[in-house]
Each structure stands twice: as structure tokens, then as C-alpha cells.
């Protein structure tokens, strides 16, 4: 794919529940002026509950504001202390509700898809491979493992912004330099990236 000078890339950030890692990246990419959407690959949106065996489970599409109100009603102290209420407040300023990657075909074509967990990467690759390519437009799917906590999500999002800016700045065919770009990024940040190429 040849990128015309000044072409805007469209980025997708994907984690499991479209709550923490993908939303922190969505927020930071948006603030950096990049064109970005975000998704989760899970069956449901799962958030920590009062114990490991009692998660809070919601359907994708449930507004972040409604989840915020529900948790605040259940136990405001617990969910403020564990960071869920501040996280949901941040999410409401980014978009309305969590979206599921597997249901997003109508959202159009992305120039790069980034995941934050190997299992999520595998699900996105599988989903893209199951779609019938119509445009024969290649898209890199890049995974960078990021622990699912607020601090690591912030670090991962900063790195995602840097990687996306490097990609958008490529003059010419990204497929020719993606290996070198990823190797350089890994050395610079001591992070291992995996990537695959899929087609729209």
C-alpha cells in the first residue's frame, strides 16, 4: 500500500473489554490528533467485582455512563479505590459505549490494528482471516502485551501513540520497512512486538 504524502492513517485499538488498555490508547491517540477507534474482543464486558468470583458483567453497547452509575450504586468506595469509577469517567469523555471488534465490519477499513494482549491479537487475526477480502488492501495487526492495570495502560498508550506516529510518517510502502521499524521500536523500548498482515 502506498501512502500519499500527508495521508491520514485510521487506527483501531483493541483489548478484551474496551475499558482500560484500548480506551487509554484511544484517549491518548485522540489527544495527539490521530484518527482512532477502539474495541474489545470478549463475549461480554467484564470488570472486577467484590471478589474474583463475582465480576461485574455487561453487554457490549452498555453506555460507560450507565456502568458508572451501576457501580457507584453498588459500592462507591470500592470502585473509587480500585480505579474503576475514574476510568469510566475518562471513558465517557472519549465515546458513548464499549464496542465489540467482531461486530465492527460496518465501521469501515483501518490502516493499522493494535492489540494489547496475545489472546486478543489471535482473535483479531482470526476474525480478519474469516472475512472475505474485497479490496485486497493490506493492514498490519500489531500486538504489544500490556498488563491490564491503570498504570501499565498509561505506559502502553504512550508507546502506542509513538508507534502510530511513526507509521503515519512513513513515506512510501509500509510493508517494505515494517520489519525494521518494529525491530528498532523493540530495541528502543525493550518491548516485544508481534505482527501479522491481514487484508480488507
Amino acid at each position: 500500500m502506498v501512502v500519499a504524502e500527508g495521508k491520514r492513517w485510521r487506527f483501531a485499538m483493541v483489548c478484551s473489554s474496551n475499558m482500560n488498555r484500548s480506551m487509554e490508547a484511544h484517549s491518548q491517540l485522540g489527544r495527539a490528533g490521530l484518527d482512532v477507534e477502539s474495541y474489545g474482543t470478549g463475549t461480554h464486558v467484564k470488570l472486577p467485582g467484590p471478589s474474583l468470583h463475582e465480576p461485574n458483567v455487561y453487554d457490549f453497547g452498555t453506555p460507560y455512563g450507565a456502568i458508572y452509575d451501576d457501580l457507584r450504586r453498588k459500592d462507591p468506595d470500592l470502585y473509587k479505590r480500585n480505579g474503576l469509577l475514574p476510568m469510566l469517567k475518562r471513558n465517557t469523555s472519549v465515546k458513548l459505549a464499549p464496542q465489540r471488534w467482531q461486530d465492527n465490519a460496518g465501521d469501515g477499513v483501518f490502516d493499522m490494528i493494535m492489540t494489547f494482549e496475545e489472546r486478543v491479537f489471535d482473535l483479531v487475526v482470526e476474525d480478519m482471516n474469516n472475512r472475505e477480502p474485497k479490496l485486497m488492501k493490506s493492514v498490519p495487526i500489531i500486538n504489544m502485551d500490556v498488563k491490564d492495570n491503570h498504570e501499565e495502560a498509561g505506559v502502553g498508550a504512550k508507546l502506542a501513540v509513538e508507534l502510530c506516529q511513526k507509521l503515519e510518517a512513513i513515506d512510501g510502502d509500509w510493508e517494505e520497512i515494517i520489519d525494521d521499524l518494529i525491530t528498532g521500536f523493540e530495541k528502543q523500548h525493550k518491548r516485544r512486538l508481534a505482527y501479522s498482515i491481514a487484508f480488507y
Side-chain angles (χ1 to χ4, degrees):
M1 178 189 88
V2 176
V3 180
E5 193 170 312
K7 180 193 178 295
R8 297 291 309 279
W9 280 48
R10 218 174 151 236
F11 299 99
M13 303 289 114
V14 192
C15 67
S16 187
S17 286
N18 197 198
M19 275 286 161
N20 183 30
R21 294 163 294 179
S22 62
M23 282 300 284
E24 180 62 34
H26 187 154
S27 174
Q28 289 202 29
L29 263 76
R31 286 204 304 272
L34 296 166
D35 185 0
V36 60
E37 301 291 341
S38 61
Y39 303 92
T41 54
T43 321
H44 295 93
V45 172
K46 278 190 187 163
L47 291 172
S51 77
L52 272 176
H53 308 294
E54 303 170 276
N56 289 288
V57 180
Y58 303 93
D59 289 329
F60 277 95
T62 306
Y64 293 115
I67 298 172
Y68 178 92
D69 291 341
D70 185 48
L71 295 184
R72 201 174 54 175
R73 187 177 48 76
K74 285 176 176 171
D75 190 338
D77 292 338
L78 169 66
Y79 296 119
K80 190 173 183 182
R81 202 168 59 244
N82 71 5
L84 289 188
L85 292 179
M87 177 187 77
L88 286 158
K89 213 172 189 87
R90 185 246 359 247
N91 291 356
T92 59
S93 72
V94 175
K95 66 178 189 178
L96 176 67
Q99 295 165 274
R100 190 164 183 260
W101 170 263
Q102 293 90 330
D103 305 329
N104 86 338
D107 288 356
V109 171
F110 290 98
D111 298 295
M112 184 269 234
I113 302 159
M114 186 158 190
T115 62
F116 298 98
E117 184 181 328
E118 194 176 350
R119 187 172 50 94
V120 172
F121 174 74
D122 292 341
L123 286 166
V124 170
V125 169
E126 181 186 351
D127 178 69
M128 289 298 291
N129 289 341
N130 288 337
R131 298 184 189 190
E132 191 185 331
K134 294 190 170 77
L135 307 173
M136 292 318 288
K137 172 190 168 1
S138 55
V139 56
I141 305 168
I142 299 174
N143 183 66
M144 175 174 62
D145 280 330
V146 172
K147 280 200 186 102
D148 194 5
N149 64 47
H150 303 299
E151 196 181 332
E152 282 295 309
V155 172
K158 279 192 181 72
L159 294 173
V161 169
E162 185 182 322
L163 184 61
C164 292
Q165 287 172 331
K166 283 180 190 293
L167 282 164
E168 196 169 73
I170 290 171
D171 184 18
D173 189 346
W174 63 262
E175 288 185 54
E176 287 176 12
I177 67 147
I178 186 100
D179 287 331
D180 291 340
L181 191 146
I182 283 179
T183 304
F185 190 87
E186 287 178 325
K187 277 189 184 140
Q188 186 185 349
H189 296 290
K190 313 266 186 294
R191 291 261 183 170
R192 218 184 115 265
L193 303 184
Y195 86 94
S196 180
I197 295 176
F199 291 89
Y200 276 105

